Amino acid sequence: MIEKKELTCIKCPRGCGILVETEQGRIISVSGNQCKNGKEYAEKEATNPTRVLTTTVKVLFGTEKVVAVKSKDEIPKEKLLPAMEQIKEVQVEAPVILGETILEDLCGTGIPLVAAACVARKKLP
Amino acid sequence: MLQYDLVIIGGGPAGLAAADSAREMGIKSILILERDNKLGGILNQCIHTGFGLHTFQEELTGPEYAARYIDKIQEKEIEYKVSAMVIDITRDKRVKVMEKGAGLITIQAKAIILAMGCRERPRGALNIPGYRPAGIYSAGTAQYFVNIEGAMPGKEIVILGSGDIGLIMARRLTLEGADVKCVAEIMPKSGGLKRNIVQCLEDFGIPLKLSHTVTYIHGKDRIEGVTLSKVDENLEPVPGTEEFIPCDTLLLSVGLIPENELSKKLELPMDDKTKGPVVTKEMETMLSGVFACGNVVHVHDLVDNVSKEAKKAGISAARYILEEKI
Amino acid sequence: MYDVIIIGAGVIGTAVARELSRYQCSILVLEKGEDVCAGTSKANSALVHAGFDAKPGSMKAKYNVQGSMMMEELCGKLDVPYEKNGALVLAFSGEEKETLELLKKQGEENGVMDMVILEKEQLREKEPAISEEAEAALYAPSAASVCPFLLTIALAENANENGTEFWFEKEVTHIQKRQEGYEVKVSSYGNSGKQESYLGRNIINCAGLYSDKLHNMVSKKSFEIIPVKGEYCLLDKNEGTAVSSTLFRVPGKMGKGVLVTRTVHGNILLGPTAESISDKEETATSGEGLKKVLTDTKHTVPGLNTGMVITSFAGLRAHERNGDFIIGEAEDAPGFFDAVGIESPGLSAAPAIGAALARMAAGKNNYRKKEVFREERKGITAFASLSPEEKEAIVKEKPAYGNMVCRCEMITEGEILEAIHRPLGAKSLDGLKRRVRTGMGRCQGGFCTPKLVEILERELDISKLRITKTGGNSRLLTDEK
């Protein structure tokens, strides 16, 4: 049996409507997308939807209280909330450099959590 | 009195891109004035992705996008002041600045670029009946608390207005463990980007209630709930459709307006439609030598477009200064 | 045992406290709220009425005219913004014009000075924005505007400086006559309702909406306060030049009608409605009320841009069922003094009521005047109001004035620190707002709220989770990383 899924592409602000047809989890056709990224997104979204997770982590001894972090790559959508639980326990010490790895492996996905901003160490008075 | 060829007011995406392009055009004497304690503007609290697809061909978070421009500013050794608030500006391009730790400074500029960004419309503009308890925030204020201060404004949230910041906060607060009850939108269609409805609401099963608005705020000390009503085609609440939704927080995401204080001080003609100053194609205001770009001119959906516009403003301001020299 | 316990730290309680602090007696003020000016004093028209409204011979007439005459000097001494901008009562018909004459006569009988009737042309010359339909107006030049927050705060600070003690978040639950004086039982917030009691030889009841309840605890001659709700809208300062005087309509059955006034801070204030209600805590605005405020004022000033509303609020007037102020010692409770039914023109009358009650209490107990009474008080320096040279000087002297916290009203960290560390200083967001106007501007706290929370957290040395909007359970944040 062929299954049809209507999706809205989230790859860019255009937000194209895409129709994906699958048969037993296999992609048969993708239509409505206006670019290559759209096709990729739709194929993934229909079979194994993924997202980049962005949040913050508490910073010790920093000029800021928290630092923005993100999953270095997309992780399965259903891992977003479990990953948040894992991140909740994490604290980092300043200085933090943009791009530095905060966690090696988010919820067994193999994808690391990295800093998305820099935080300097607070100068002692 | 300090003298600069170009003074740029605002160190957010617009100001940074304008400074970068003016320097590319050969302007040496540039000063960026930023009222916050660091460069980057609102991008610092926009920790979600979705920035830079056009400018850098990759999807960056707000702080990452800002960092790319801040790096350029630093590499090019463009001068800037932070915690520096412009408190007065005159039509002969004299800028009075209060800088934390340094006091009052007067600066004479040859050209000025206005890049102060925008602000959120507050609750007053909505005039919602009911009490005025704690727990009512504009979406941007809540975003600052969560993403900069690491503090949660509440646990059970109703969001009024489906602008992009409201949608993004719905996801952000859900990830942080809050229960976002719904996003209510008075219009029959959301003002936010489709992608944000998908990845911020649908991903987490948060209902989007179109043609609905908050008609009463309950709770004397801390907000205890809101009455949500359906509205008719004239946006008037329909009697009998009231629904009580318990919550401890109400976020308002009801639109942005250009930050006009300084434009008004300069007596610039304003555009009724964009709510910002009238500008030429070259991003010059009606006052010769004063340029404007980014959300101070009109509210943009995409930071990439802000950067593009700011680049144009930087080039135009540079031309103005260079022509003046000849 | 205190000589005098004053219950309520609204404008009346603090005015009494300040006047009484001229005398050699110990004074305690008990307040239910977390700050002064937390009840009926905080939400009203911010006006010093000339005094032509009240019926000749009434307490309202007497204290209004007296208070109004004292107000300017008092505000001068206490460094409180006061602006004698005059009031106009507008007549829209021949019949209403006749009422103006009656009002004028009544005012003159009450002792109001310099009133004149303006004809259409003179009126339009004075206030060009007024509706073409206005036929004439009664002009009372002695009417003024005052900031009720700053007045109450100044009175309290000055009373405190002269030795008056203040306790906040103490709600009086019982008052009992004792051999000597009275025992006042309170439940205090945050003390899990634990009862405390205070002894006072004399009690002065300035409890606003609850003044009936307190009086009835000790007296058989009972009073009844009926709360009357008034809803208001405040407009952006950009609209602030629309009018300069306070504009009334000819009064009808339900009070003075919806007025248009310019506050001392330069915002246009519209309101109030008048609705008798039963719940003394029901300070909620309603759709109909706000609509009425905006439509009625549009009739007075058609060009008013009512789209510029920055906030709306409701206040409750403490209306005693017989309609007049009740001021003096209770007949059957010696040493128990009342200020009951203090609704409009209560703010105008406050200086006179304060002085009268202090005189009564001092006279009865033979208190002698102190040798030293500091009658002046200096307000917090408003950075935005300084000249460029003064600005430079203050930043040099106090660097915190060089850190701008509120962009809309140009309020610096220096002012905020002063507001927190003064006697009876601010403990909450609203406490700051009332002292230095943070969050009162067009963004209504959007930008400055997180910064204010941070400053309060640091200066009060408490967790930011305990910072409130206005005391009690009005916490701002629920969790922290």
Side-chain angles (χ1 to χ4, degrees), chain C residues 111-343:
Chain C
V112 182
M113 315 280 265
D114 306 324
M115 287 178 297
V116 283
I117 304 256
L118 301 182
E119 292 305 325
K120 196 164 184 165
E121 302 73 47
Q122 297 166 290
L123 174 59
R124 292 198 58 77
E125 206 171 295
K126 184 151 180 51
E127 289 288 355
I130 285 178
S131 161
E132 292 276 0
E133 289 168 39
E135 295 287 332
L138 171 65
Y139 176 51
S142 63
S145 295
V146 68
C147 174
F149 301 147
L150 291 179
L151 176 61
T152 309
I153 288 162
L155 288 165
E157 280 182 16
N158 191 235
N160 182 246
E161 209 188 332
N162 285 297
T164 304
E165 272 181 53
F166 283 79
W167 284 104
F168 294 97
E169 299 194 311
K170 305 279 182 200
E171 182 174 357
V172 174
T173 54
H174 299 90
I175 305 174
Q176 268 168 328
K177 183 85 193 79
R178 287 272 173 267
Q179 197 80 15
E180 193 192 2
Y182 294 87
E183 181 182 354
V184 179
K185 287 191 179 154
V186 304
S187 85
S188 43
Y189 179 80
N191 203 359
S192 50
K194 217 180 93 194
Q195 290 271 327
E196 297 169 10
S197 63
Y198 297 88
L199 298 174
R201 291 188 181 89
N202 300 272
I203 304 292
I204 304 183
N205 168 20
C206 307
L209 290 159
Y210 295 93
S211 55
D212 56 344
K213 191 177 137 198
L214 296 193
H215 170 91
N216 298 345
M217 288 174 188
V218 298
S219 168
K220 290 211 168 65
K221 195 187 163 217
S222 71
F223 299 140
E224 185 193 356
I225 298 289
I226 301 152
V228 179
K229 192 200 281 187
E231 299 183 38
Y232 291 90
C233 294
L234 189 74
L235 304 189
D236 191 288
K237 278 188 179 173
N238 283 341
E239 281 297 300
T241 49
V243 299
S244 61
S245 344
T246 298
L247 308 177
F248 294 97
R249 302 286 299 271
V250 164
K253 273 197 192 107
M254 276 310 271
K256 292 183 270 257
V258 175
L259 58 88
V260 178
T261 183
R262 188 167 177 271
T263 70
V264 287
H265 302 292
N267 298 90
I268 295 291
L269 179 64
L270 311 174
T273 53
E275 182 199 350
S276 297
I277 56 170
S278 52
D279 180 355
K280 289 179 176 176
E281 297 293 324
E282 198 205 306
T283 52
T285 56
S286 65
E288 308 82 64
L290 296 176
K291 204 175 257 174
K292 180 177 164 55
V293 167
L294 297 179
T295 3
D296 282 15
T297 47
K298 205 88 178 164
H299 190 218
T300 312
V301 184
L304 211 56
N305 184 356
T306 48
M308 298 297 273
V309 172
I310 55 170
T311 186
S312 50
F313 58 89
L316 301 182
R317 313 174 181 86
H319 176 77
E320 209 284 326
R321 71 180 159 215
N322 292 317
D324 204 1
F325 294 164
I326 298 158
I327 289 156
E329 192 172 1
E331 277 171 37
D332 53 352
F336 190 96
F337 297 85
D338 282 311
V340 174
I342 314 298
E343 57 180 328

Side-chain angles (χ1 to χ4, degrees), chain B:
Chain B
M1 186 164 51
L2 299 174
Q3 308 223 348
Y4 284 89
D5 284 351
L6 177 59
V7 168
I8 298 173
I9 305 175
L16 296 174
D20 178 52
S21 71
R23 176 57 57 89
E24 290 285 313
M25 289 286 290
I27 305 299
K28 292 215 167 59
S29 159
I30 302 176
L31 177 66
I32 304 172
L33 296 170
E34 167 56 45
R35 59 187 159 195
D36 218 330
N37 61 6
K38 58 181 173 205
L39 294 175
I42 205 70
L43 287 172
N44 289 320
Q45 70 184 64
C46 298
I47 63 160
H48 51 280
T49 61
F51 304 92
L53 219 50
H54 296 282
T55 316
F56 300 111
Q57 282 77 49
E58 49 180 312
E59 225 182 323
L60 303 172
T61 64
E64 288 173 317
Y65 188 95
R68 300 265 171 124
Y69 275 96
I70 295 168
D71 285 349
K72 287 188 196 195
I73 299 298
Q74 275 160 352
E75 272 163 34
K76 291 177 179 164
E77 295 179 343
I78 295 173
E79 273 184 69
Y80 62 88
K81 289 181 185 295
V82 293
S83 299
M85 164 104 178
V86 173
I87 60 171
D88 201 14
I89 186 166
T90 60
R91 286 177 66 89
D92 54 4
K93 306 190 184 71
R94 206 166 275 191
V95 181
K96 195 159 269 170
V97 185
M98 185 145 87
E99 188 187 1
K100 190 177 174 182
L104 280 176
I105 307 162
T106 310
I107 303 164
Q108 178 68 56
K110 284 187 184 145
I112 291 175
I113 298 180
L114 304 175
M116 295 88 71
C118 58
R119 59 165 71 205
E120 295 182 278
R121 286 174 66 203
R123 171 191 178 189
L126 301 171
N127 234 353
I128 306 170
Y131 290 90
R132 298 192 305 150
I136 304 170
Y137 295 102
S138 66
T141 307
Q143 189 178 45
Y144 187 96
F145 270 126
V146 178
N147 292 347
I148 305 290
E149 295 283 328
M152 286 290 278
K155 293 181 159 82
E156 297 187 322
I157 323 272
V158 169
I159 299 176
L160 175 59
S162 62
D164 286 309
I165 316 176
L167 299 176
I168 281 166
M169 282 313 291
R171 171 178 63 185
R172 183 72 190 108
L173 290 164
T174 305
L175 286 172
E176 289 289 354
D179 176 11
V180 178
K181 302 282 179 90
C182 68
V183 174
E185 170 60 58
I186 192 167
M187 305 304 283
K189 206 173 140 255
S190 165
L193 295 169
K194 273 192 217 156
R195 62 189 308 206
N196 284 334
I197 293 176
V198 173
Q199 61 185 353
C200 299
L201 301 188
E202 291 173 11
D203 273 5
F204 301 95
I206 299 166
L208 173 60
K209 298 202 143 205
L210 296 172
S211 296
H212 276 76
T213 194
V214 172
T215 50
Y216 199 85
I217 293 171
H218 303 260
K220 282 167 197 168
D221 286 341
R222 175 89 193 190
I223 184 169
E224 286 161 14
V226 295
T227 299
L228 203 63
S229 300
K230 214 170 150 44
V231 297
D232 62 20
E233 56 276 16
N234 302 316
L235 309 182
E236 291 292 328
V238 180
T241 60
E242 297 86 359
E243 182 190 355
F244 175 76
I245 302 187
C247 63
D248 67 4
T249 306
L250 173 65
L251 294 195
L252 304 174
S253 175
V254 290
L256 302 165
I257 37 173
E259 178 83 273
N260 283 329
E261 306 293 90
L262 299 180
S263 308
K264 281 194 178 145
K265 275 204 171 133
L266 286 168
E267 293 163 31
L268 299 178
M270 304 299 279
D271 187 324
D272 265 353
K273 230 169 125 191
T274 63
K275 310 277 182 222
V278 176
V279 289
T280 65
K281 268 196 191 129
E282 279 67 49
M283 306 315 294
E284 188 168 16
T285 68
M286 295 300 109
L287 178 59
S288 176
V290 175
F291 302 80
C293 56
N295 287 346
V296 81
V297 178
H298 71 99
V299 176
H300 295 62
D301 281 340
L302 260 192
V303 73
D304 297 79
N305 293 340
V306 167
S307 301
K308 211 164 119 192
E309 189 179 286
K311 187 172 172 185
K312 211 193 295 174
I315 292 170
S316 303
R319 283 203 184 116
Y320 175 89
I321 295 162
L322 296 170
E323 276 163 26
E324 190 108 305
K325 277 192 178 139
I326 305 160

